[in-house]
């Protein structure tokens, strides 16, 4: 990748983004700098978004009155998902919280604002990727979704993945990763590398809500998402 942008601007941008993410100490690594070079015209132009847009809209209409599990009882809004219907990269969270339930959109509360910063640090934004959750309705008092609730809802997410057909999936937090992969592996053993998920590249990092409580994990998260961006750029260049 080449750029005429002065190095000093690029470094300033890296520093500013690390500050935004709330990273205490400065780190300038090679990946961070290369991924912050001006974005290439983003995705492979091969796939048209019309068919997946219609398929997603139809699917949302089909399922948004779901009453399969008890979570529908407290639901204000069904939180289907948001983003580009033919996204190459999909982020998967756990389930809606209060703000998401009010708005009907994933990651719009405090954790969502941090997610936006994480995305910005790797030059992604909501319009270019897709974001969805394991469960589409808010668990009461923000408790973890229960196994039966997740297993009722998981086919919905799997169908979304099939329609969107992303090359990359990034699971946010242990609960999302374990549910999607069907494993009980601890988060620390899953993050930092790519795994296969039905022919797609899947990685796991910390949940932004966990980062709000434990800022010491921001460093690892920063490295995880840089890894994602690097792999994505390499795939784009193929
Ligand atoms: N946490 C999640 O896992 N998902 C959301 O949509 C919001 C917060
Ligand atoms: N990762 C998570 O997803 N949650 C935690 O509480 C800690 C690490």
């Amino acid at each position: 990748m080449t750029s005429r942008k002065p190095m000093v601007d690029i470094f300033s941008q890296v520093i500013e983004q690390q500050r935004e993410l709330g990273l205490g100490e400065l780190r300038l690594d090679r990946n961070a700098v290369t991924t912050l070079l001006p974005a290439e015209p983003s995705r492979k132009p091969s796939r048209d978004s019309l068919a997946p847009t219609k398929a997603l809209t139809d699917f949302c209409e089909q399922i948004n009155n779901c009453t399969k599990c008890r979570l529908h009882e407290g639901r204000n809004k069904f939180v289907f998902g948001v983003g580009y219907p033919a996204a190459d990269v999909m982020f998967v969270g756990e389930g809606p919280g209060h703000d998401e339930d009010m708005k009907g959109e994933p990651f719009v509360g405090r954790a969502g604002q941090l997610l936006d910063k994480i995305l910005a640090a790797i030059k992604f934004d909501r319009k270019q990727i897709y974001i969805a959750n394991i469960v589409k309705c808010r668990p009461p008092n923000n408790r973890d979704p229960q196994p039966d609730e997740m297993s009722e809802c998981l086919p919905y997410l799997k169908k979304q993945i099939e329609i969107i057909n992303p090359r990359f999936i990034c699971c946010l937090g242990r609960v999302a990763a374990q549910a999607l992969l069907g494993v009980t592996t601890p988060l620390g053993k899953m993050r930092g590398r790519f795994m296969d998920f039905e022919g797609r590249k899947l990685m796991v990092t910390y949940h932004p809500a966990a980062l709000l409580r434990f800022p010491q994990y921001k460093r690892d998260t920063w490295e995880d998402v840089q890894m994602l961006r690097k792999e994505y750029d390499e795939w784009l260049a193929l």
Side-chain angles (χ1 to χ4, degrees), residues 5-7 14 25 27 30 38 59-60 70-71 92 97 99 105 133 140 145 160 193 201 205 209 216 221 225 234:
K5 201 167 179 174
M7 271 318 251
V14 174
E25 91 223 41
R27 183 179 305 184
R30 203 163 166 277
F59 186 51
C60 180
R70 65 187 79 76
L71 294 183
V92 175
D99 297 328
E105 188 178 327
N133 286 307
Q160 287 174 297
R193 65 196 164 90
K201 290 195 168 186
T205 192
Q216 65 270 29
T221 306
V225 296
E234 283 170 14

Side-chain angles (χ1 to χ4, degrees), residues 79 92-101 105-112 115 126 131-135 142 172-173 176 207-209:
V79 182
V92 175
E94 188 175 313
H98 172 267
D99 297 328
E100 290 77 22
D101 175 64
E105 188 178 327
F107 286 99
V108 292
R110 270 185 81 219
L115 179 60
R126 265 171 204 255
I131 310 176
N133 286 307
I134 299 286
V135 297
N142 302 327
L172 300 168
H207 193 289

Side-chain angles (χ1 to χ4, degrees), residues 145-156:
Q146 291 172 4
D148 62 320
E149 297 160 355
M150 292 193 282
S151 57
E152 288 290 1
C153 214
L154 195 58
Y156 295 157

Side-chain angles (χ1 to χ4, degrees), residues 105-119:
E105 188 178 327
F107 286 99
V108 292
R110 270 185 81 219
Q113 287 163 23
L114 182 53
L115 179 60
D116 285 338
K117 288 178 183 173
I118 293 168
L119 294 175

